[in-house]
């Protein structure tokens, strides 16, 4: 087995190299899950992943353990691992919490965002993608996350920002899945510009309502698209 692995790290000393390989394996595998390269329900094994990443099984095992704790993977003794399926309840629960957090963040941001920050939000709201094109899809998903994270930062509440970010990262996998099976450009752009308009008006309740409406539109849209796609990515 090539212990340099994942980008070549043969010159990194012992313990540090092991940790670095684990971190890199974790980052690669987590990205595959979020972007759908490893879709919900996919089964994998340590030897298989170790060979793909060109590392020993130890960093893979440690990375998978972390992904299991985060809920992205499930471990099955003597069988390997499975990418955790997305359930309707998990999706509904996630968006319910996200709505509460982001609604509060938007209300605070309406009082605190600068004009330059609002201009940046308008630019992010204009980003589009071509369905089926991986590069533009990634740019679109990244821009969507930055749009929401910028509003959370605008709350000027670091604890609230951290909570919003943890839920945004979990939602990224769902957003990728939805963007792959239907065109979500129009509703996303329209909703985002509506949110910015309320923020520019310095209207806390209007901003809260706009982001709650957007949150529900996103949840319902993704749910409907996944059910209609027949891909088997969603379970009850």
């Amino acid at each position: 087995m090539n212990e340099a692995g994942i980008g070549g790290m043969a010159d990194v000393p012992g313990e540090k190299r092991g940790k670095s390989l684990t971190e890199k394996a974790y980052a690669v595998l987590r990205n595959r899950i979020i972007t759908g390269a490893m879709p919900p329900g996919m089964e994998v094994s340590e030897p298989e992943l170790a060979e793909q990443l060109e590392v020993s099984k130890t960093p893979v095992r440690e990375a998978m353990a972390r992904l299991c704790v985060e809920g992205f993977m499930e471990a099955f003794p003597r069988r390997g691992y499975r990418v955790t399926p997305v359930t309707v309840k998990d999706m509904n629960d996630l968006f319910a919490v996200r709505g509460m957090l982001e609604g509060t963040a938007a209300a605070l941001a309406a009082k605190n965002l600068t004009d330059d920050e609002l201009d940046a939000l308008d630019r992010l709201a204009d980003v589009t993608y071509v369905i089926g094109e991986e590069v533009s899809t990634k740019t679109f998903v990244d821009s969507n996350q930055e749009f929401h994270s910028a509003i959370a930062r605008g709350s000027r509440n670091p604890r609230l920002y951290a909570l919003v970010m943890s839920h945004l990262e979990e939602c990224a996998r769902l957003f990728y899945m939805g963007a792959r099976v239907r065109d979500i450009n129009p509703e996303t752009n329209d909703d985002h510009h509506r949110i910015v308009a309320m923020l520019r008006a310095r209207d806390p309740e209007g901003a809260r309502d706009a982001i709650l409406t957007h949150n529900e539109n996103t949840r319902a849209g993704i749910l409907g698209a996944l059910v209609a796609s027949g891909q088997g990515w969603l379970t009850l």
Side-chain angles (χ1 to χ4, degrees):
M1 181 66 62
N2 176 12
E3 285 299 329
I6 322 176
M9 300 182 63
D11 59 341
V12 181
E15 183 178 344
K16 184 177 180 181
R17 185 180 72 182
K19 183 176 181 181
S20 297
L21 286 173
T22 297
E23 289 297 321
K24 286 184 175 290
Y26 164 78
V28 169
L29 294 173
R30 189 175 187 276
N31 183 66
R32 288 182 181 179
I33 294 168
I34 288 175
T35 61
M38 290 171 58
M42 180 179 181
E43 296 187 358
V44 293
S45 67
E46 286 177 10
E48 173 188 3
L49 293 175
E51 183 176 356
Q52 289 177 12
L53 301 178
E54 298 185 316
V55 296
S56 68
K57 289 189 289 186
T58 299
V60 170
R61 184 179 305 118
E62 292 171 349
M64 296 299 273
R66 183 172 170 185
L67 290 166
C68 286
V69 170
E70 293 178 353
F72 286 113
M73 300 293 302
E74 298 173 321
F76 297 93
R78 296 179 296 280
R79 279 180 48 197
Y81 302 87
R82 179 178 67 166
V83 180
T84 305
V86 176
T87 71
V88 173
K89 185 179 186 306
D90 285 342
M91 180 183 291
N92 290 340
D93 288 350
L94 177 60
F95 275 93
V97 175
R98 177 179 164 178
M100 289 186 285
L101 294 172
E102 286 203 277
T104 300
L108 293 170
K111 303 175 183 178
N112 295 315
L113 285 169
T114 66
D115 289 341
D116 285 345
E117 288 172 322
L118 289 166
D119 290 343
L121 283 173
D122 262 328
R123 290 191 293 273
L124 288 168
D126 286 329
V127 176
T128 61
Y129 76 105
V130 177
I131 189 167
E133 185 181 281
E134 289 301 314
V135 174
S136 66
T137 300
K138 184 179 188 309
T139 298
F140 182 75
V141 175
D142 289 347
S143 297
N144 176 74
Q145 182 152 323
E146 177 55 27
F147 178 89
H148 288 272
S149 66
I151 293 173
R153 280 195 304 273
S155 72
R156 308 298 191 243
N157 184 321
R159 290 179 182 273
L160 178 58
Y161 171 73
L163 288 169
V164 169
M165 287 306 299
S166 69
H167 287 77
L168 284 178
E169 289 171 359
E170 196 171 348
C171 280
R173 177 164 71 139
L174 303 176
F175 204 67
Y176 263 107
M177 291 160 63
R180 281 201 170 94
V181 296
R182 73 187 182 100
D183 184 1
I184 60 176
N185 281 304
E187 67 193 58
T188 302
N189 296 138
D190 289 348
D191 282 359
H192 281 188
H193 281 297
R194 195 171 298 113
I195 292 165
V196 178
M198 292 298 102
L199 293 170
R200 283 194 186 278
R202 305 300 178 184
D203 182 348
E205 290 311 308
R208 185 196 303 272
D209 289 344
I211 210 161
L212 286 174
T213 298
H214 173 51
N215 186 71
E216 174 55 21
N217 288 343
T218 301
R219 184 202 66 80
I222 292 175
L223 181 59
L226 294 182
V227 170
S229 73
Q231 297 280 359
W233 292 338
L234 189 69
T235 61
L236 296 177

